[in-house]
Amino acid sequence: MANFIDYNKELKFEYGITQRLSPLIRRVIAPNPSAFTLHGTGTYIVGNDEVAIIDPGPAIPEHIQAILKAVKGEKITHVLVTHTHLDHSPATLQIKAASGALSYAYGPHARNIKNSEMEEGADFDFKPDKRLKDGEIIKGSNWTIESIHTPGHTSNHMCFALKEENAMFPGDHVMGWSTTIVSPPDGDMSAYMTSLDKLNHRPESIYYPTHGAPITNPRPYVESLLAHRYEREDEIMVCLKDGIDNIPDIVEIIYAKIDSSLHKAAARSVLSHLIHMIKTNRVKCEGIPTPDNKYRAVN
């Protein structure tokens, strides 16, 4: 029986308009919709009077103006960044300049990337003022956030847990409308699945992803994402045992029902799964795993 993921692509909002989601959380959505961002980047404002900004988003002037308008009369004390993709971190510079706040993140985007094919979406210019560690606590005047390192989508991905509301900001690690792209070399499927399991053992009762609507049933939802990844690897193994030994042909079979325009990203995900399966001694290939290599099942 195939695993079921209860996706939700519905969201009521207006670009540039601030939405109050809870006593401590507001959101402004950037006008950058795409196949990878859904409606656009959701920038979160945490706290009242003295606030933190989570994922300032792309450097779109009207979005930056909307954020600053939303906190007019308040003080931005922290800018938190989940990870360094161009739809998440570039506006940090302008928000800092306007507020005097410092930026906080795990670190800059990885520089040891040998194959930059799928890293055109990386923000290599971002460098946090303060580098965060896993489990580090950040305090504001009326809020407390725990930093949770969740590598997988990127090696520097962090989630942020708001203690006062038992809420999680999972960035792109968990999204309610889609699975997460895990693209080597910076994306790592082994790390991604370990990080999913890490979140699944935490107590937060609601997730606010950077893209899409809140997730109100996070534990069963995360479990379904994990089950989906294991199911994908089962499908890849079936292909390999049937003599289908290359990534393009595997993608054509297991992603037959999705738009072909997304097959390039799907191929990166298959590569990431194959690397994970090689690490766990289920698959072999000659030399380094690449998009053009041939793969075979062990036994």
Side-chain angles (χ1 to χ4, degrees):
M1 181 177 176
N3 172 63
F4 173 74
I5 303 178
D6 188 16
Y7 293 129
N8 175 21
K9 296 188 178 183
E10 301 300 317
L11 186 66
K12 292 183 178 180
F13 73 100
E14 291 182 49
Y15 290 121
I17 302 299
T18 308
Q19 292 176 296
R20 170 69 68 175
L21 303 181
S22 77
L24 286 176
I25 300 170
R26 289 166 279 174
R27 181 184 59 205
V28 182
I29 296 180
N32 62 328
S34 75
F36 300 103
T37 64
L38 191 59
H39 309 98
T41 299
T43 295
Y44 290 98
I45 302 165
V46 177
N48 297 293
D49 299 323
E50 292 187 2
V51 304
I53 304 295
I54 297 179
D55 280 349
I60 299 174
E62 55 264 42
H63 179 58
I64 294 164
Q65 291 165 11
I67 296 169
L68 296 176
K69 180 181 178 182
V71 297
K72 187 176 181 180
E74 300 178 280
K75 182 179 180 181
I76 301 172
T77 58
H78 299 70
V79 180
L80 310 181
V81 175
T82 61
H83 66 291
T84 45
H85 278 155
L86 291 173
D87 55 324
H88 289 254
S89 53
T92 300
L93 193 62
Q94 291 91 332
I95 298 297
K96 284 176 52 182
S99 66
L102 297 181
S103 61
Y104 297 73
Y106 184 80
H109 203 84
R111 292 281 179 177
N112 60 337
I113 293 174
K114 296 178 182 178
N115 178 359
S116 62
E117 178 185 353
M118 289 297 288
E119 290 300 319
E120 67 270 14
D123 180 7
F124 288 106
D125 294 328
F126 176 83
K127 184 179 179 181
D129 297 307
K130 301 287 185 179
R131 297 183 68 151
L132 295 171
K133 297 178 181 178
D134 182 48
E136 190 166 345
I137 301 297
I138 310 162
K139 285 185 174 289
S141 62
N142 53 84
W143 52 264
T144 309
I145 285 177
E146 180 184 355
S147 306
I148 305 145
H149 185 214
T150 49
H153 177 57
T154 61
S155 58
N156 65 355
H157 196 288
M158 295 206 87
C159 299
F160 297 108
L162 177 61
K163 297 297 188 179
E164 285 78 4
E165 294 191 355
N166 198 33
M168 178 75 74
F169 300 93
D172 282 2
H173 194 74
V174 176
M175 300 183 291
W177 69 280
S178 172
T179 55
T180 298
I181 293 173
V182 181
S183 176
D186 196 44
D188 184 303
M189 189 61 69
S190 299
Y192 177 75
M193 293 170 76
T194 298
S195 295
L196 273 182
D197 188 63
K198 180 179 183 176
L199 291 189
N200 202 35
H201 286 84
R202 292 187 57 86
E204 286 76 27
S205 59
I206 187 168
Y207 285 10
Y208 295 96
T210 304
H211 308 287
I215 300 168
T216 56
N217 59 337
R219 179 159 290 186
Y221 187 77
V222 169
E223 287 173 354
S224 72
L225 292 179
L226 272 169
H228 169 75
R229 295 298 179 175
Y230 287 116
E231 185 178 84
R232 276 284 183 251
E233 295 193 348
D234 289 342
E235 292 172 337
I236 291 169
M237 185 61 75
V238 168
C239 287
L240 295 176
K241 289 184 175 180
D242 285 345
I244 301 161
D245 61 1
N246 64 88
I247 290 175
D249 287 347
I250 291 172
V251 169
E252 287 293 331
I253 292 172
I254 69 175
Y255 291 93
K257 294 182 179 179
I258 74 165
D259 191 316
S260 60
S261 67
L262 298 175
H263 279 194
K264 182 179 179 181
R268 303 301 300 180
S269 181
V270 169
L271 174 60
S272 192
H273 274 297
L274 286 165
I275 292 170
H276 177 234
M277 295 167 79
I278 289 169
K279 288 179 180 177
T280 51
N281 299 314
R282 290 173 289 159
V283 171
K284 286 190 176 181
C285 74
E286 296 300 325
I288 298 172
T290 69
D292 303 318
N293 215 326
K294 293 187 181 295
Y295 300 83
R296 61 181 176 85
V298 174
N299 298 331

